[in-house]
Amino acid sequence: MMRQAGRYLPEYRATRLDKGGFLDMVHDPATAAEVTLQPIRRYGMDAAVIFCDILVPPAAMGIEVRFEEGVGPLLDPPVRDAAAINRLSDFDPDVATAFLGAAIERVRGELGDERAILGFCGAPFTVASYLIEGRSSRNFENTKALMLGSPELFDRLLERVVDVSIPYLAHQVRAGADALQIFDSWGGALDEVTYRARILPSLTRLVSAAKENGVPVIAYLNGCHHLLEALADSGADVVSIDWRVPPAEAIARIGDRVALQGNLDPCTLFAPPDVVREKARGVLDAFADQRGYIFNLGSGILPKTPLESVAALWETVLT
Ligand code: CP3
């Protein structure tokens, strides 16, 4: 279900009330394992996305990261000049994010070997955009200003993000992750020429280092219609697509080079269960001949999603 797996579940909301905030849950391996498993217990999916966030590495680099109700993530101070980039620290994931490995080990203990655990991190552009903007952004003004106005600084920031993400992903695989997903959620804000010239080299470096752990790597980008070939060129084994790309087109353009994942519109789940079944069946049928396909939503599940629609979805996909 990609992101915010928990918020639509009453058991998640109850755990969160009990444990404090979102980051407190992430930092406590027993709680993180519990909320990772909640949707699996209810619906029986065959893979669990470990409960964590793409903004955990920025916090380990010394940035204050908070999640504010109704606002979203807030990072302080924003990273917009050489001094701020120089202040970003390296971290040893076995120490600074030991909670994550511990959570993965706990999930493995409960899931057994039949179901996969997905580790993940943010892609260099998406993480850099949070560092630069200090929050979620619609237009990425500061990010694009730095990219265009101070290209060496921007490239150095991407490089720092990749440098810390490589051992961070290796830590997750050592703990038991079976596959790694790299989220370039906001990469669609760039045109293809810019994406290829300025972003793809660092994404490719991260993907290639991630693959050295011996696990498949999935690349996701929201708004990927114009970037399908670029994503496949990153070397990822799987490209995870949003709902705007017609399945037949994704298959025709990159389906011979990579496996595909996606692409049900998460808002489909606000329709009545019968419609959800029909739409999910439509996606499954559309990818039936694709060699290598993983069912997924085209973006994160939304907090107010009705449970009966989620149940209808998994009945359809898993039977
Ligand atoms: O689904 C899961 O629970 C798996 C773990 C996971 C989370 N975030 C937990 C989370 C994953 C894989 C993510 C990825 C993530 N985080 C992305 C990339 C995926 C995508 O959808 O594009 C991005 C962009 C983020 C950054 C982030 N974290 C945002 C924008 C938000 C939402 C803030 C808001 O208030 O709307 C978060 C918070 C977050 N991450 C929650 C969860 C369960 C919600 C926490 C809560 O309110 O309880």
Side-chain angles (χ1 to χ4, degrees):
M1 302 281 260
M2 190 159 332
R3 160 160 75 99
Q4 280 92 286
R7 280 192 292 185
Y8 67 100
L9 288 179
E11 56 269 36
Y12 172 82
R13 294 195 296 268
T15 311
R16 194 171 78 149
L17 266 182
D18 191 38
K19 299 289 172 183
F22 167 64
L23 281 177
D24 296 318
M25 298 167 75
V26 167
H27 292 153
D28 175 29
T31 307
E34 169 58 25
V35 294
T36 299
L37 291 162
Q38 282 172 346
I40 315 287
R41 290 200 190 104
R42 217 183 236 267
Y43 301 114
M45 301 88 155
D46 52 13
V49 184
I50 192 66
F51 187 77
C52 192
D53 197 82
I54 64 165
L55 299 177
V56 162
M61 295 170 94
I63 300 294
E64 188 202 325
V65 177
R66 296 186 286 129
F67 289 87
E68 202 153 291
E69 202 70 48
V71 180
L74 291 174
L75 292 80
D76 190 47
V79 177
R80 296 180 188 164
D81 56 26
I85 295 175
N86 291 339
R87 275 196 299 273
L88 291 171
S89 52
D90 275 324
F91 65 91
D92 176 354
D94 291 343
V95 179
T97 61
F99 53 84
L100 175 53
I104 293 172
E105 283 165 11
R106 278 175 179 263
V107 171
R108 173 62 68 215
E110 295 221 17
L111 265 190
D113 291 330
E114 291 301 305
R115 291 166 206 253
I117 301 175
L118 260 84
F120 70 91
C121 72
F125 175 75
T126 291
V127 174
S129 81
Y130 276 109
L131 288 168
I132 297 166
E133 303 290 341
R135 57 195 305 149
S136 298
S137 172
R138 182 182 293 267
N139 296 313
F140 304 96
E141 294 93 331
N142 298 295
T143 307
K144 291 185 181 182
L146 193 74
M147 181 178 76
L148 298 171
S150 310
E152 325 70 48
L153 278 189
F154 182 80
D155 291 352
R156 194 167 0 128
L157 182 57
L158 290 185
E159 200 170 307
R160 296 289 290 120
V161 172
V162 175
D163 286 345
V164 301
S165 300
I166 291 170
Y168 177 72
L169 289 178
H171 167 81
Q172 298 181 55
V173 175
R174 277 198 306 279
D178 299 290
L180 295 169
Q181 180 149 345
I182 299 175
F183 288 98
D184 205 357
S185 301
W186 313 134
L190 299 172
D191 64 275
E192 190 195 355
V193 172
T194 306
Y195 192 86
R196 281 190 178 277
R198 304 300 307 280
I199 309 302
L200 190 57
S202 55
L203 178 64
T204 302
R205 180 160 80 89
L206 180 56
V207 167
S208 131
K211 284 169 75 169
E212 280 175 27
N213 296 297
V215 297
V217 173
I218 307 165
Y220 168 77
L221 193 146
N222 192 3
C224 59
H225 190 256
H226 59 302
L227 295 172
L228 289 178
E229 288 82 2
L231 285 170
D233 289 348
S234 73
D237 302 285
V238 184
V239 171
S240 184
I241 62 175
D242 66 57
W243 62 94
R244 303 170 189 90
V245 185
E249 189 184 331
I251 293 168
R253 282 170 57 189
I254 55 171
D256 56 339
R257 293 200 273 155
V258 290
L260 292 166
Q261 174 176 299
N263 74 334
L264 188 73
D265 183 345
C267 287
T268 307
L269 295 169
F270 289 89
D274 277 352
V275 178
V276 173
R277 284 191 197 95
E278 183 195 315
K279 293 288 179 194
R281 175 58 46 210
V283 168
L284 294 171
D285 287 347
F287 287 103
D289 295 331
Q290 165 64 21
R291 193 173 50 86
Y293 169 68
I294 302 166
F295 178 81
N296 201 220
L297 299 182
S299 181
I301 186 164
L302 294 158
K304 296 204 169 82
T305 302
L307 291 178
E308 57 273 22
S309 289
V310 184
L313 174 70
W314 290 111
E315 266 163 41
T316 309
V317 173
L318 295 170
T319 52

